[in-house]
């Protein structure tokens, strides 16, 4: 009896690895929605907004005062510089008048009082010169001459009136030519009163005749 063939081991080919099932790819939307950015960053609140109204007003007043002070200081410094540069300084009224340019013809006025006239008259009554002063009366000429002795203006006495001092005559002289160093005002031929131009412009000249 033939020997049984030895059983040949059956070769079972190793099974090929079976790939794992692939998970389906995750689906993504074609367009990703991005949240819109705000137009401006959120406000945290300004410093001014946290201040009270009265505090803001006080700060505004203080800043305004500081600005005004700075302007005033600048103006003062500029004015002081201009004064120093020009050499200007304080001067008396007479000096200022002497330095003032001539402003055209001017007028003056005054009073002449006769101390020995008007006896027996009531205050305010008309009067005139008598005796050695008979030339002093209404209409008597008043002459104004300049430093060279040139007659520059003529006036006349008004009607005399009795006063406590005697008989007073007022006068006015117009159209006096300016520019002379001094002037002489003379009533009739009784001697003159020498005055500066500033004195004549001021007026109120006073003459007295009699003992």
């Amino acid at each position: 009896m033939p020997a049984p063939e030895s059983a040949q081991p059956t070769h079972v080919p190793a099974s090929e690895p079976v790939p794992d099932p692939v998970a389906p790819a995750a689906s993504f939307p074609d367009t990703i929605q991005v949240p819109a950015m705000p137009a401006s960053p959120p406000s945290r609140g300004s410093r001014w907004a946290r201040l009270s109204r009265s505090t803001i007003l006080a700060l505004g007043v203080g800043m305004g005062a500081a600005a005004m002070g700075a302007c005033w200081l600048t103006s003062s410094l500029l004015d002081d510089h201009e004064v120093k540069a020009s050499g200007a300084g304080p001067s008396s009224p007479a000096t200022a008048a002497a330095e003032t340019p001539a402003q055209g013809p001017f007028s003056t006025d005054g009073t002449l009082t006769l101390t020995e006239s008007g006896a027996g008259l009531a205050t305010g009554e008309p009067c005139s010169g008598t005796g050695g002063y008979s030339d002093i009366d209404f209409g008597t000429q008043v002459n104004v001459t300049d430093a060279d002795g040139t007659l520059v203006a003529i006036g006349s006495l008004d009607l005399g009136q009795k006063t406590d001092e005697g008989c007073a005559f007022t006068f006015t002289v117009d159209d006096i030519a300016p520019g002379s160093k001094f002037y002489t005002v003379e009533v009739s031929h009784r001697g003159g009163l020498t005055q500066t131009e500033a004195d004549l412009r001021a007026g109120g000249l006073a003459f007295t005749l009699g003992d």
Side-chain angles (χ1 to χ4, degrees):
M1 186 172 173
E5 295 179 0
S6 59
Q8 294 294 327
T10 304
H11 177 72
V12 180
S15 60
E16 296 180 0
V18 179
D20 295 331
V22 178
S27 62
F28 296 96
D30 296 336
T31 303
I32 299 175
Q33 298 294 327
V34 179
M37 294 295 291
S40 61
S43 174
R44 297 181 180 178
S46 67
R47 296 179 179 177
W48 293 103
R50 295 195 295 269
L51 296 177
S52 66
R53 186 174 182 179
S54 60
T55 302
I56 294 176
L57 289 175
L59 289 174
V61 171
M63 294 172 66
M68 290 294 294
C71 293
W72 176 85
L73 178 60
T74 301
S75 177
S76 297
L77 291 175
L78 289 174
D79 292 343
D80 184 61
H81 176 72
E82 290 177 359
V83 169
K84 290 182 178 178
S86 63
S91 59
S92 64
T95 302
E99 294 175 353
T100 302
Q103 300 176 356
F106 61 95
S107 301
T108 191
D109 57 63
T111 302
L112 181 146
T113 301
L114 281 175
T115 59
E116 297 182 356
S117 295
L121 298 177
T123 300
E125 286 189 298
C127 56
S128 59
T130 59
Y133 298 105
S134 58
D135 59 315
I136 306 301
D137 203 347
F138 173 72
T140 298
Q141 186 167 304
V142 180
N143 300 321
V144 178
T145 55
D146 62 14
D148 296 328
T150 302
L151 182 66
V152 293
I154 297 174
S156 61
L157 295 180
D158 297 327
L159 184 65
Q161 289 187 333
K162 179 66 173 68
T163 66
D164 293 339
E165 290 77 23
C167 187
F169 301 83
T170 59
F171 63 87
T172 300
V173 181
D174 298 320
D175 298 324
I176 303 173
S180 180
K181 292 181 180 179
F182 60 86
Y183 296 84
T184 300
V185 181
E186 183 178 20
V187 179
S188 187
H189 59 279
R190 296 293 176 169
L193 181 67
T194 300
Q195 300 287 306
T196 65
E197 180 175 334
D199 293 332
L200 289 189
R201 287 180 179 275
L205 307 180
F207 295 82
T208 300
L209 289 176
D211 296 334

